[in-house]
Amino acid sequence: MKDTDAAFRRAPVLERVIQVGGFVVRRLVQALIALFGVITLVFFLQRLTGDPVLLLVPQGATQADTDVMRTALGFDRPLYIQYFGFLADLVRFDLGRSYVQNLPVVDIISSRVPYTLELAAGALVVAIGLGVPIGILIAVRRDRFEARWLIGLVLIGQSMPTFWTSVLLIMFFGVWLRWLPPSGVNGFQSLIMPSLALGFLSMATFARVTRTSVLDELSKDYVRTGLAKGLSMSRLIAHHLMRNAAVPIVTISALEIANLLTGAIIIETVFAWPGLGQLTIQAISARDFSIVQGVVIIGAAAAILLNLIADLLYSIIDPRIRLPGRDA
Amino acid sequence: MKMLRALTFAALIGVVMPTLGFAAAKETVVIDLVSEPSSLDPHKQWNPDSHFVYRNIFDQLLSRDDKGEIIPSIARSWAYKSDTEIVFTVRDDVTFHDGQKLTAEDVAFSINRIIDKKFASPQLSQFNKILSATASSASEVTIKTDGPYPVLLAQLVKLSIVPKHIVEKVGNDAFNLAPVGSGAYKFEKWQRGVDVVLVRNDNYWGDKGYFLRADFRAVPDAATRVANLKAGTADLAVTLDPDLAAQLEGAGGVKVLTAVTERIAYLKLNTSRPPFDDVELRRAVAQAVDRQSIIEGLLGGYDKPVSQLASPDYKGYVAGIQGLPFDPDQAKQLVQKAGAKAAEPIAFVTSPTFDQRIVQALIQQLNDVGFKINVESVDFATYLQRAQSEKTKQPAISFGRWSCACQDADGISFPLLHSSSSFSALSDPKIDALLEAARNTLDPDKRLVAYKDVATAVAKDALILPLYQAAVIYGASEKLKWSPTANESFFLNRASWSE
């Protein structure tokens, strides 16, 4: 183990750059193929049940008036022509227009992205800020009273449905105490409750992963050695143990960030938070195809990118980990 | 470390405290809608949330008072030159928000814009009887229709007047983002996905608004809208259900506002395919359904039973029409008599858009008298598609709610009962002739005679089963003074505040 590590460190800088570059290129090509599959699937799946024209016209519109609308939006064309038109626009980075809002999809989505990022960041602060320390505490103080108490908290975090947590928060802080606005986007105060509600579930995940990872490390020789030579537990954890225990936490972070970015539909709806989740669910029920397509493309791209970043981060945190796809 | 903790706590309190005190003077009224407007170009979108906002930015050619009567607005008066030609005199004291005068040219432009097929307005079907609009003088607009059209005035209540000079200069897209009208409130800003803010137009020609500002927010969850009302962060919330209304009744500082609307709920029976091509089985359905128990048990008692496809607010409403009485025993006998025909399972087509408790109650009541009805729930677009497919392929039985937003019997009866309409499952030459007669004359008495025959046939043969006139439920701060109307519109300059 020690030898490989040394060999890797000695490798010329250029070779390492080529190795990392090759890895990134391979992954990006894979990602493009996956992305193409996803958008094709979404394009056809959405159209399986017809078009949005009937939702746009008032009740009682005659067939002729509906046809005018259908022609204007291009839904009278054969499906494959619509598909190739969509692909042709896509390679020019044109995601089309929303049929409902009469605006370019890019404008609509980019106006919502900052809210999604803000909420995901808030939730991540809650999740990591609470989850990792709780995980460490449970591992270090296992069998003690406070650990059992914290495990209970984690269990609650994991099993409470988010819409229920959200409603409780709104009733308590919004209506009863009137400390925080029940919904909306009004500076930092508005971010607190949705971040808590969204971060609570992830907090439990982080706590569990951290606990397992720390417990693994606690049984290792260097920990016993460190304690024997008189290091305090907190110093040992902060300086030695966490560096080794961090890899699974980074992996789970990538997955959780992707989750937080795309999985906030309920929270966004309850708190009237104008992120991508709310936009998507509304677009789906209005059959606003181009918005759904745009969100899926961006969501898939984000998930692929985050996984790539996580893979690259491993080798920085733990240089023993080789990037995959290269002979050992 | 302790210091840091204390500081963090202080900072948190500092952030939290300002929300504790609410503004003393009421400058801004906050309205919680379900979604943000889809568009603020009044000719481009037709949904309640868009409508709620843009009707305050734009004036309409005509308006309705709180009782529902058509009253002058931009048009000061009107006169029929013939059955197909009507001249509107336009007010000369109206200016757009940019200071330019509103003229007959703008009115003609607005009408021609909405009937232009290339523009593809979703509202085309409401104005497609208009052939042309021309500014015959600086203050007169002549509208020509493709036949006598009794519903024209009711449709023009929904025609917003846009400024020709601005739309032509900036184009449709830019106009949608920064709309300029002549209404009682001016557009201030639109934070996408969050809210639209309007500010009072102090040069308005009519009644000026009470509130300086109005903030229309998008709050999709109804329980959150109620929480906002209770917390005092919203002053008016739209689209509540009876359960939430009951919650509000018990809370302090808030109230429930409600009105029966022009929206009619109905049970559509397909007369073109078995089993409901059989008049006896349709009558069995009519006698099995207990409207009153549905209204009292599920709808909070706000809605009103109806026996025709119109409410008393409609032109063409026929007083004294009685449907078949609720009589489950009689219904049971009719089903038994029909034998095998009624024994087949029937799919009841519905969509989550509708209140499913009502659908389930209806199915239960029908199965209680011996029908075998199952629920088939599809998404709303599919529901609409099936509701207007070929007559024999339309669902045998389905629930629906309909408003033409015109308060005229023609608006619901024609599309649901005339054989030429894709929404109709009925092919009855007698009904067709009556509906056409009522549509093609301006004489209200002749129309009423025709609608009386239609309503009588509907009631006697259960061609369709009108259920109830739907109520709309709003929640509001106790201090908000505003009366909801049957056409579900909201005019800011008809609302005020009592301190």
Side-chain angles (χ1 to χ4, degrees):
Chain A
M1 191 70 110
K2 204 80 194 146
D3 290 346
T4 26
D5 188 14
F8 188 79
R9 277 169 193 275
R10 274 200 306 273
V13 174
L14 186 67
E15 193 180 315
R16 247 190 115 180
V17 168
I18 291 171
Q19 188 195 354
V20 172
F23 169 72
V24 170
V25 168
R26 267 196 309 280
R27 286 293 295 266
L28 284 179
V29 171
Q30 282 171 6
L32 275 178
I33 296 171
L35 207 55
F36 177 76
V38 166
I39 55 187
T40 304
L41 205 62
V42 168
F43 183 91
F44 288 105
L45 275 183
Q46 284 193 101
R47 283 159 175 80
L48 274 183
T49 54
D51 63 42
V53 174
L54 292 177
L55 294 175
L56 292 171
V57 296
Q59 265 178 316
T62 60
Q63 192 63 47
D65 294 333
T66 314
D67 287 343
V68 168
M69 192 84 192
R70 184 164 284 132
T71 310
L73 294 177
F75 287 116
D76 57 333
R77 299 173 300 164
L79 208 54
Y80 70 94
I81 295 201
Q82 292 183 45
Y83 177 64
F84 288 122
F86 162 67
L87 287 186
D89 286 343
L90 200 61
V91 292
R92 279 176 278 145
F93 296 102
D94 179 0
L95 289 174
R97 286 172 73 86
S98 154
Y99 318 120
V100 180
Q101 300 190 36
N102 282 298
L103 281 174
V105 168
V106 174
D107 292 358
I108 296 173
I109 291 182
S110 57
S111 71
R112 300 299 189 95
V113 167
Y115 298 110
T116 290
L117 293 179
E118 209 178 311
L119 179 56
L124 200 63
V125 167
V126 171
I128 295 184
L130 291 175
V132 172
I134 288 177
I136 296 175
L137 264 173
I138 295 177
V140 176
R141 307 266 160 111
R142 72 197 138 169
D143 305 332
R144 298 246 194 111
F145 171 72
E146 56 261 44
R148 298 222 178 98
W149 192 84
L150 284 171
I151 287 173
L153 187 73
V154 171
L155 210 64
I156 291 173
Q158 198 141 38
S159 39
M160 287 254 278
T162 45
F163 68 87
W164 177 242
T165 339
S166 309
V167 169
L168 285 185
L169 286 170
I170 289 179
M171 291 323 287
F172 190 72
F173 291 109
V175 176
W176 194 52
L177 292 174
R178 293 201 177 190
W179 282 6
L180 297 167
S183 78
V185 183
N186 203 354
F188 180 65
Q189 314 159 14
S190 308
L191 186 60
I192 298 174
M193 284 198 289
S195 300
L196 280 174
L198 184 59
F200 211 47
L201 181 64
S202 294
M203 178 274 286
T205 311
F206 275 105
R208 275 189 311 112
V209 171
T210 308
R211 173 185 166 272
T212 316
S213 180
V214 169
L215 274 179
D216 257 10
E217 293 295 324
L218 277 177
S219 61
K220 296 217 167 125
D221 290 348
Y222 73 92
V223 174
R224 202 181 45 203
T225 311
L227 288 175
K229 77 172 190 183
L231 277 179
S232 73
M233 193 54 155
S234 54
R235 203 178 150 76
L236 184 80
I237 289 172
H239 290 262
H240 302 284
L241 190 143
M242 273 322 280
R243 292 192 58 171
N244 292 315
V247 171
I249 300 175
V250 170
T251 315
I252 209 74
S253 297
L255 294 174
E256 283 300 308
I257 292 173
N259 264 347
L260 292 175
L261 285 174
T262 56
I265 292 174
I266 291 170
I267 303 243
E268 286 184 355
T269 304
V270 172
F271 288 102
W273 188 266
L276 285 177
Q278 208 200 100
L279 178 72
T280 314
I281 197 80
Q282 282 165 3
I284 289 172
S285 54
R287 293 197 176 182
D288 205 341
F289 296 158
S290 37
I291 289 192
V292 179
Q293 282 154 200
V295 171
V296 167
I297 290 170
I298 288 170
I304 289 166
L305 199 70
L306 282 166
N307 276 311
L308 185 64
I309 291 173
D311 281 345
L312 291 174
L313 271 181
Y314 296 154
S315 69
I316 294 171
I317 295 174
D318 187 345
R320 288 172 304 182
I321 297 178
R322 294 288 202 97
L323 292 171
R326 187 81 183 171
D327 47 83
Chain B
M1 199 61 185
K2 266 194 180 145
M3 185 67 183
L4 188 71
R5 247 179 254 160
L7 276 177
T8 320
F9 188 63
L12 260 179
I13 294 290
V15 169
V16 166
M17 285 306 273
T19 57
L20 291 175
F22 293 101
K26 194 67 184 171
E27 283 200 332
T28 303
V29 62
V30 180
I31 298 118
D32 279 1
L33 304 173
V34 179
S35 309
E36 69 173 337
S38 302
S39 164
L40 288 180
D41 182 332
H43 298 162
K44 265 293 179 196
Q45 241 321 316
W46 178 252
N47 61 19
D49 292 321
S50 307
H51 203 218
F52 229 67
V53 180
Y54 70 59
R55 265 202 147 169
N56 292 292
I57 307 175
F58 297 91
D59 281 316
Q60 289 72 42
L61 189 59
L62 301 169
S63 189
R64 282 186 195 272
D65 62 15
D66 284 351
K67 290 196 196 77
E69 289 302 319
I70 293 176
I71 53 170
S73 177
I74 289 298
R76 193 189 284 281
S77 61
W78 53 93
Y80 277 92
K81 271 170 90 180
S82 71
D83 274 3
T84 58
E85 211 174 328
I86 177 168
V87 179
F88 291 88
T89 309
V90 175
R91 295 187 73 95
D92 58 2
D93 56 350
V94 182
T95 52
F96 286 110
H97 299 148
D98 68 340
Q100 280 251 25
K101 212 170 149 177
L102 184 151
T103 66
E105 280 290 340
D106 295 304
V107 175
F109 173 77
S110 300
I111 296 169
N112 290 323
R113 185 173 185 244
I114 212 165
I115 61 173
D116 178 8
K117 290 202 165 153
K118 271 189 242 118
F119 182 74
S121 170
Q123 284 164 270
L124 179 62
S125 63
Q126 296 170 335
F127 298 98
N128 61 1
K129 302 281 274 178
I130 298 176
L131 289 177
S132 69
T134 37
S136 29
S137 78
S139 62
E140 279 187 348
V141 176
T142 306
I143 294 180
K144 284 189 183 146
T145 55
D146 67 357
Y149 185 42
V151 198
L152 180 66
L153 294 180
Q155 301 290 22
L156 291 174
V157 167
K158 293 172 284 182
L159 182 84
S160 294
I161 309 300
V162 300
K164 182 181 181 205
H165 63 284
I166 294 182
V167 175
E168 283 187 340
K169 197 174 119 203
V170 304
N172 294 334
D173 282 7
F175 186 69
N176 175 19
L177 293 176
V180 177
S182 61
Y185 280 76
K186 296 187 272 191
F187 172 77
E188 186 171 86
K189 77 175 167 90
W190 186 350
Q191 197 182 348
R192 284 275 153 184
V194 182
D195 63 350
V196 175
V197 178
L198 306 184
V199 60
R200 187 172 58 210
N201 173 11
D202 285 320
N203 298 319
Y204 188 57
W205 59 270
D207 296 335
K208 292 183 182 64
Y210 174 92
F211 302 101
L212 177 63
R213 264 195 179 70
D215 187 358
F216 293 90
R217 308 192 301 181
V219 184
D221 191 61
T224 310
R225 292 197 291 277
V226 167
N228 276 327
L229 283 176
K230 287 189 189 162
T233 52
D235 304 310
L236 178 67
V238 305
T239 324
L240 306 183
D241 62 30
D243 295 342
L244 288 168
Q247 255 190 53
L248 277 182
E249 301 271 14
V254 285
K255 63 183 171 188
V256 175
L257 294 174
T258 168
V260 275
T261 68
E262 55 181 287
R263 205 175 288 276
I264 305 288
Y266 57 87
L267 202 53
K268 185 169 148 189
L269 303 170
N270 191 335
T271 49
S272 294
R273 64 183 265 195
F276 296 120
D277 53 350
D278 181 341
V279 62
E280 293 301 323
L281 280 178
R282 292 201 304 271
R283 285 184 182 140
V285 170
Q287 302 211 278
V289 170
D290 181 6
R291 296 176 178 79
Q292 204 57 45
S293 78
I294 289 177
I295 290 171
E296 274 162 23
L298 297 173
L299 294 167
Y302 296 107
D303 306 52
K304 282 214 176 99
V306 288
S307 304
Q308 56 187 301
L309 290 174
S311 77
D313 304 321
Y314 279 54
K315 297 262 183 289
Y317 174 80
V318 188
I321 293 287
Q322 290 287 331
L324 295 167
F326 169 57
D327 187 345
D329 295 330
Q330 175 75 24
K332 240 177 243 167
Q333 282 176 22
L334 288 173
V335 174
Q336 268 163 13
K337 225 194 289 171
K341 200 168 185 187
E344 289 288 311
I346 309 165
F348 189 118
V349 176
T350 179
S351 150
T353 311
F354 303 117
D355 188 339
Q356 288 311 293
R357 300 172 311 165
I358 292 166
V359 171
Q360 276 153 17
L362 287 167
I363 292 175
Q364 186 63 50
Q365 290 178 353
L366 294 176
N367 287 345
D368 281 350
V369 300
F371 285 108
K372 290 194 178 57
I373 295 181
N374 318 309
V375 69
E376 186 185 344
S377 189
V378 294
D379 72 288
F380 195 49
T382 309
Y383 167 89
L384 287 173
Q385 216 168 349
R386 299 199 33 194
Q388 48 190 303
S389 48
E390 239 175 276
K391 295 191 192 320
T392 50
K393 292 200 175 124
Q394 287 178 23
I397 181 167
S398 59
F399 174 79
R401 280 156 52 102
W402 196 298
S403 161
C404 66
C406 65
Q407 297 181 28
D408 192 291
D410 178 79
I412 305 182
S413 297
F414 196 95
L416 277 179
L417 299 175
H418 194 277
S419 63
S420 73
S421 160
S422 51
F423 289 89
S424 159
L426 186 68
S427 309
D428 182 337
K430 212 181 89 214
I431 298 284
D432 283 358
L434 290 168
L435 289 169
E436 282 160 32
R439 178 173 263 200
N440 293 321
T441 174
L442 297 177
D443 181 347
D445 297 332
K446 278 189 194 153
R447 299 188 72 214
L448 201 58
V449 170
Y451 285 130
K452 188 171 182 184
D453 289 348
V454 173
T456 310
V458 164
K460 190 169 120 293
D461 294 338
L463 300 174
I464 192 166
L465 193 64
L467 293 172
Y468 54 87
Q469 185 186 359
V472 63
I473 305 174
Y474 304 90
S477 158
E478 218 163 44
K479 293 174 180 166
L480 183 79
K481 289 203 275 184
W482 174 65
S483 322
T485 57
N487 61 352
E488 297 169 62
S489 63
F490 175 69
F491 289 103
L492 274 165
N493 63 345
R494 296 185 195 175
S496 65
W497 197 255
S498 59
E499 285 299 342

